[in-house]
Amino acid sequence: MRVSAPDHVPLRVAAALFLTVVLAGCVAVPDAGLSQDSLEDQLNDTEPPDELSATVEISETIDGETSQRTETVWLRADGTSRIETTTNGSEQVIVSDGTDRYIHDLERDAIRSYERDPNAKSLLEGLSAQPDRYLDAYDVTALEEVQFDGQDAYRVEFEPPANETIERSVGVQVAQTEYVFPLETTEADPDERSADRVELWLEQETLFPVKHTIAGDGIELTTTYRNLSINGGLADDLFEPPTAADNDTDETEFVFPTIDQYDTVADAEAAAPFAVAEPSADALPDAVSFDGASSYEFHDKDRRQVSLFYRSEAGESVAVTTSDGPRAFATDGDSVSVGETTGTLEATEQGTELQWSCDGLYYSVFVSDAVGDAEDAIVVGESLGFEC
């Protein structure tokens, strides 16, 4: 099965948390006052904004630790956008002209560009569609007219279904991408976090969601739009591709890999130009079992890899990867012996990764913290049986 690349860069950086949750469920109608039916009728009759500008405040509180940041956005429904943000201490300007997206790292004066998925919704379209998704997904427990940042608004409070866990997109994000979900429980923390309260504030004229809050199990995430201007007229030059001050600075175009998925190891190996390493069953943690394979072709690096995945029902995982080129993971870890050769072992936020090379191929074993540790990664790696 061919998997299309998402419309965001596969490089994890901090992101604004636009809380788009698509779930199954029914919606309760409040007994009195402003009704859900009338709100749904307004949504059906209201045209979403064609463009907006705003200052976006993002606040994340996780287990008592709070982080905050502010971004400035200019968005159009046609897919053109401009986002000025600071990510990991680096100032960035992210511009989309509707066809391509450009990320300008101001500190390094470096620009990266890549092509947008022409079938993907624009960021503004995705945000405007959120109220419908919430109303379809959750029980409404409160609905009232309020003042928000000097504007008439509706505050809607939802109760998520029982035991609904808070998750974040696994895909990697660059600033405010077009598809961002709430915070995930990392593989390093096997305890699932549940959402018990979701609140949404809607600007009354266009019903644009000017504020989201989701809370539960030690987490509270809030995104707030201040200084909101809707359909006020945005200058076209805001969306012109950025240029580096240093004319010698290279502009790098990002090329998405081709990804194919397979139900068996044999099928994955048949499609690969090399032999795929497979661990012995008794070397794997008891909790996991084979759960498919994926091949990746990185066109800009002339490299291919095949990853075998072993997972448990609780989401614990082991991954074994064979590649015909070096991978930029676990390269700064500790030196360890893997059979007759030497590899590197590095702890990550999600688990432990072991990597080594043999006869022109590169191998890695990832073991999530929930299912094993460094010793388990070495046992799985040595079971591949290579003599280098």
Side-chain angles (χ1 to χ4, degrees), residues 11 26 35 47 55 60 85 89 131 144 162 178 188 205 225 230 264 272 280 300 302 313 316 323 333 340 351 383:
L11 183 211
C26 57
S35 72
E47 290 294 326
T55 301
E60 308 174 22
T85 181
E144 61 180 338
E178 296 184 1
E205 183 175 350
Y225 287 74
I230 293 178
T264 68
S280 62
D300 55 340
D302 193 25
E313 293 183 358
E316 302 161 347
S323 175
E340 299 298 323
S383 78

Side-chain angles (χ1 to χ4, degrees), residues 30-312:
D31 294 331
L34 179 67
S35 72
Q36 182 215 330
D37 285 343
S38 67
L39 181 58
E40 289 181 339
D41 288 341
Q42 288 187 56
L43 282 168
N44 290 332
D45 295 337
T46 301
E47 290 294 326
D50 292 323
E51 59 184 31
L52 68 77
S53 62
T55 301
V56 186
E57 300 171 354
I58 302 102
S59 175
E60 308 174 22
T61 300
I62 303 173
D63 295 333
E65 295 187 9
T66 299
S67 63
Q68 296 177 327
R69 68 183 180 280
T70 301
E71 301 180 343
T72 306
V73 302
W74 297 264
L75 310 175
R76 282 177 171 171
D78 64 4
T80 53
S81 64
R82 180 184 181 91
I83 301 167
E84 296 180 357
T85 181
T86 300
T87 301
N88 293 337
S90 174
E91 293 185 24
Q92 293 182 333
V93 176
I94 302 154
V95 176
S96 173
D97 60 8
T99 302
D100 296 301
R101 181 168 295 172
Y102 302 84
I103 302 132
H104 188 183
D105 184 328
L106 299 183
E107 182 178 356
R108 297 190 302 115
D109 198 23
I111 298 173
R112 180 184 346 202
S113 67
Y114 64 97
E115 185 177 350
R116 289 185 65 250
D117 180 352
N119 298 314
K121 286 185 177 181
S122 69
L123 175 56
L124 181 53
E125 288 175 325
L127 292 171
S128 298
Q130 287 178 355
D132 279 322
R133 293 171 179 157
Y134 275 105
L135 287 168
D136 288 341
Y138 290 145
D139 292 340
V140 175
T141 58
L143 184 56
E144 61 180 338
E145 295 187 67
V146 297
Q147 283 287 305
F148 177 82
D149 203 26
Q151 302 178 71
D152 293 332
Y154 299 120
R155 187 188 73 88
V156 191
E157 185 171 333
F158 303 89
E159 182 179 1
N163 301 320
E164 183 60 46
T165 57
I166 302 174
E167 298 177 345
R168 184 186 329 195
S169 166
V170 176
V172 188
Q173 305 151 10
V174 172
Q176 299 184 47
T177 61
E178 296 184 1
Y179 302 101
V180 183
F181 297 83
L183 185 74
E184 69 176 327
T185 299
T186 67
E187 293 184 48
D189 181 2
D191 297 326
E192 293 185 335
R193 299 178 186 266
S194 297
D196 54 34
R197 176 174 59 88
V198 174
E199 294 181 62
L200 188 67
W201 286 256
L202 308 176
E203 186 269 335
Q204 285 192 19
E205 183 175 350
T206 63
L207 298 181
F208 180 80
V210 290
K211 182 178 180 180
H212 312 147
T213 293
I214 183 168
D217 284 357
I219 295 179
E220 183 164 332
L221 312 172
T222 300
T223 302
T224 306
Y225 287 74
R226 303 286 188 189
N227 307 316
L228 183 69
S229 175
I230 293 178
N231 296 336
L234 299 179
D236 291 338
D237 59 6
L238 282 169
F239 312 106
E240 293 179 355
T243 56
D246 181 357
N247 293 329
D248 294 330
T249 300
D250 291 334
E251 179 179 315
T252 304
E253 182 176 0
F254 183 85
V255 180
F256 286 109
T258 298
I259 306 173
D260 292 290
Q261 296 180 340
Y262 304 93
D263 294 328
T264 68
V265 178
D267 289 341
E269 186 168 44
F274 45 74
V276 174
E278 183 177 5
S280 62
D282 57 359
L284 292 164
D286 293 336
V288 302
S289 59
F290 181 70
D291 190 35
S294 295
S295 68
Y296 306 79
E297 183 174 0
F298 299 90
H299 304 281
D300 55 340
K301 299 179 181 177
D302 193 25
R303 180 174 72 83
R304 295 187 180 187
Q305 75 178 50
V306 173
S307 296
L308 312 181
F309 299 102
Y310 302 84
R311 298 186 177 95
S312 72

